[in-house]
Amino acid sequence: MLVKTYAAALRGIDAQVVTVEIVVGKGLQFTIVGLPDAAVKESHERVRSALSQSGYNVSRFSVVINLAPADVRKEGAAYDLPIAIGILAGAEIISSPGLGNYMILGELSLDGSVLPVKGVLPMAIEARAKGFKGIIVPSANVTEAAVVNNLEVYGADSLAQVADFLSGKIAIEPTVVDTRAEFAKAHASYDCDFSDVRGQENVKRAFEVACAGGHNILLIGPPGSGKSMMAKRLPSIMPPLTLGEALETTKIHSVAGKLPRGSRLMTVRPFRSPHHTVSPVAMVGGGSNPMPGEISLAHNGILFLDEFPEFPRTVLEVLRQPLEDRHISVSRARYQVDYPAGFMLVASMNPCPCGYYTHPTKHCTCLPGAVNRYMSRISGPLLDRIDLHIEIMPVPFDKLTERAPGESSEAIRERVIKARAVQARRYADEPGIHCNAQLTSRLTARHCALSPEAMAILRRAIEKYDMSARAYDRILKVARTIADLDGSEAIQPHHVSEAVGYRTLDRSGWGNTTGGIVQG
């Protein structure tokens, strides 16, 4: 007897319906075709044991399974449950006329219990898009799938429970989550706050500008100056996720298997901080079983690279294209997948190998030429793609001992949210543009027009420091953000001066300067 059940396969962060065609006849054969990977092929033993332990005797049947479409690779153990249900229906052990109304997902334990799987959220979205009445998933994944509205979501604990439900012997209440209400109630809380930071007002201002416009930022300073400590506080001043961003971010982490059990929507922007020994594949994604990399896991959030020059050159160079295009295409011999990569890059580094080249009191012990060699580990094209270069100095003792707290993250965040709201209104008719950092050259020319006085300041800076055309665009975008923070529709000369002051590494002899502002 031929029976069809329905599952899904992941392609990037999206899903595609897979039809599980099962023919049950006499004999002892068990065959799976349709481009299955090793985990799918091994489902034979799991399914046989789960059926037996659940009280179903199918040992006398021959089973042929086709996973269609045959040209899409099937990976993972999520096909165990639909295969087992299809065998029961094909052997006429259960009768379920409405079997085709449901997408079924789940890994089977040898005792017949249903185990959680990855990528349930995009699969549930695909089930709704393809008109399925409902989806049956492991109980551990039910709240994740229930984020998708207008779809009946059922959580299952065992194979027998699913079989009895589809046969009409028992009823399972669908899990319902009011996505918008849940998202509205969610309040992000942070362990770190900028009120703990003493001094460093210029760095806080740079962070505020970076978060307000979504700009990439590089921190340069000696050991102990507070680079990592302040970078870890950046999420506390980032604007909250929108519902659309939360769904997309949750999809990525669902596919990567990074969501905790029982989780729903992610409501906090991701903060990823890979070690400098990370491989290029771990950074961009891919592998034998393609998975999102660190740059995609940081989508709609922050990618923090501490000790920036210590990362392998091959890892740093793969960042160049995603920083421009905000997505990454991973092409291999057997597959090609696209992952979103709209992250804000935050990097920190010492100015030299010993760390004290720019220290106000300690002497640099590096050999001649060591500073240039150290800085050359980061290519010019990559530095060009970083909007703000901020030099950090150690905090003086009198600042460290101040009792008065600094400005809180909440106060800074309010200004950031206000500036982002201005940008959202300005770019409402520009698809894919949400903040100033995402502006194309055409949009930069339209929205970042300068007065003759402001243009004169920018011209002198470009000519003096021999900046590239990309640096010119970056300065305009940062100046636009500074104007938005000031509530100014026009970019004023002092906005341009401040933006130029954030291009520390574009200057010759930057180590002997304090990052002053170019005056008009």
Side-chain angles (χ1 to χ4, degrees):
M1 182 177 177
L2 172 63
V3 172
K4 294 183 181 181
T5 59
Y6 297 92
L10 293 171
R11 303 197 71 175
I13 65 167
D14 297 314
Q16 178 177 346
V17 173
V18 171
T19 303
V20 183
E21 302 175 330
I22 300 170
V23 175
V24 179
K26 294 181 179 180
L28 302 174
Q29 184 181 11
F30 193 105
T31 306
I32 301 180
V33 297
L35 207 59
D37 74 344
V40 179
K41 292 177 181 177
E42 291 171 355
S43 67
H44 171 211
E45 302 302 331
R46 294 191 297 271
V47 169
R48 288 278 192 190
S49 176
L51 287 169
S52 175
Q53 294 297 318
S54 300
Y56 304 110
N57 182 13
V58 295
S59 59
R60 66 184 185 277
F61 294 109
S62 169
V63 179
V64 178
I65 301 163
N66 177 45
L67 306 177
D71 61 342
V72 175
R73 187 163 182 80
K74 322 304 183 307
E75 298 170 342
Y79 302 98
D80 290 0
L81 186 56
I83 287 173
I85 293 297
I87 292 173
L88 292 177
E92 300 183 337
I93 296 175
I94 66 171
S95 174
S96 178
L99 184 60
N101 295 328
Y102 298 95
M103 181 181 284
I104 305 173
L105 308 166
E107 177 183 348
L108 287 177
S109 178
L110 296 182
D111 64 358
S113 57
V114 180
L115 304 178
V117 295
K118 295 186 293 187
V120 166
L121 178 56
M123 293 177 182
I125 293 172
E126 179 70 4
R128 182 181 64 181
K130 289 297 187 288
F132 284 92
K133 177 184 177 183
I135 183 171
I136 300 172
V137 300
S139 292
N141 297 121
V142 69
T143 53
E144 177 186 342
V147 166
V148 181
N149 297 324
N150 303 318
L151 180 72
E152 296 178 4
V153 179
Y154 299 92
D157 296 309
S158 67
L159 169 61
Q161 183 186 20
V162 176
D164 289 344
F165 168 70
L166 292 172
S167 300
K169 296 180 180 178
I170 64 171
I172 302 177
E173 286 297 318
T175 300
V176 178
V177 172
D178 189 334
T179 306
R180 296 186 181 278
E182 290 284 334
F183 187 73
K185 286 193 305 183
H187 295 286
S189 59
Y190 303 95
D191 297 329
C192 303
D193 195 281
F194 270 101
S195 61
D196 304 326
V197 180
R198 300 292 185 263
Q200 304 290 19
E201 299 304 323
N202 63 320
V203 183
K204 293 179 185 177
R205 168 64 175 177
F207 279 165
E208 181 180 337
V209 172
C211 291
H215 302 289
N216 305 316
I217 184 169
L218 172 63
L219 312 173
I220 315 132
S225 55
K227 301 184 297 294
S228 301
M229 181 267 290
M230 285 189 284
K232 291 174 181 176
R233 283 161 170 74
L234 268 175
S236 66
I237 64 172
M238 289 284 283
L241 287 167
T242 65
L243 181 56
E245 288 176 331
L247 279 168
E248 189 175 30
T249 305
T250 307
K251 278 176 63 177
I252 297 170
H253 286 252
S254 173
V255 169
K258 302 294 185 182
L259 289 181
R261 290 191 180 185
S263 61
R264 298 181 181 178
L265 273 180
M266 293 181 63
T267 57
V268 177
R269 291 186 181 273
F271 181 89
R272 304 293 300 181
S273 179
H275 192 260
H276 61 75
T277 55
V278 65
S279 69
V281 172
M283 183 66 79
V284 304
S288 56
N289 294 325
M291 284 289 156
E294 290 291 338
I295 62 175
S296 296
L297 292 171
H299 182 62
N300 292 322
I302 295 170
L303 177 66
F304 176 49
L305 302 183
D306 201 4
E307 304 297 342
F308 200 37
E310 302 301 327
F311 282 79
R313 184 69 172 251
T314 53
V315 172
L316 294 182
E317 292 307 300
V318 300
L319 294 174
R320 287 163 57 176
Q321 182 257 337
L323 284 172
E324 288 289 326
D325 300 337
R326 309 186 74 81
H327 76 274
I328 181 74
S329 296
V330 181
S331 298
R332 300 291 184 267
R334 293 186 301 167
Y335 63 83
Q336 178 176 340
V337 294
D338 291 328
Y339 294 120
F343 59 92
M344 177 178 154
L345 175 63
V346 180
S348 68
M349 59 179 289
N350 297 325
C352 66
C354 79
Y356 297 107
Y357 176 54
T358 58
H359 199 283
T361 57
K362 296 184 179 181
H363 295 292
C364 175
T365 59
C366 297
L367 296 174
V371 175
N372 286 337
R373 286 194 298 271
Y374 187 72
M375 293 301 301
S376 66
R377 295 182 187 180
I378 307 170
S379 68
L382 180 57
L383 281 177
D384 253 1
R385 289 168 166 82
I386 300 177
D387 303 353
L388 292 84
H389 313 154
I390 306 302
E391 195 168 2
I392 302 180
M393 289 295 141
V395 180
F397 181 79
D398 57 343
K399 286 284 185 181
L400 284 175
T401 55
E402 280 185 354
R403 297 197 171 207
E407 187 177 25
S408 68
S409 293
E410 184 178 0
I412 301 173
R413 193 184 198 202
E414 287 179 0
R415 295 195 296 269
V416 168
I417 292 173
K418 186 177 179 180
R420 284 288 184 105
V422 170
Q423 296 165 47
R425 291 192 295 270
R426 181 186 299 132
Y427 310 129
D429 297 329
E430 303 291 346
I433 305 295
H434 308 290
C435 59
N436 292 328
Q438 299 172 345
L439 290 176
T440 62
S441 296
R442 177 181 59 84
L443 293 176
T444 300
R446 180 191 303 174
H447 296 291
C448 302
L450 300 181
S451 66
E453 295 82 2
M455 184 61 76
I457 293 174
L458 183 54
R459 178 188 294 275
R460 285 197 293 272
I462 294 292
E463 292 176 350
K464 180 178 180 179
Y465 302 124
D466 194 24
M467 296 181 183
S468 68
R470 184 179 285 113
Y472 167 80
D473 272 353
R474 302 279 171 175
I475 291 172
L476 288 179
K477 295 176 187 178
V478 173
R480 175 71 272 171
T481 299
I482 297 170
D484 291 340
L485 283 168
D486 281 355
S488 173
E489 183 59 34
I491 299 176
Q492 303 297 332
H494 66 276
H495 298 149
V496 176
S497 294
E498 183 177 353
V500 171
Y502 291 136
R503 300 294 299 185
T504 298
L505 294 185
D506 286 333
R507 309 173 188 181
S508 59
W510 65 269
N512 297 320
T513 69
T514 57
I517 293 175
V518 178
Q519 298 297 331

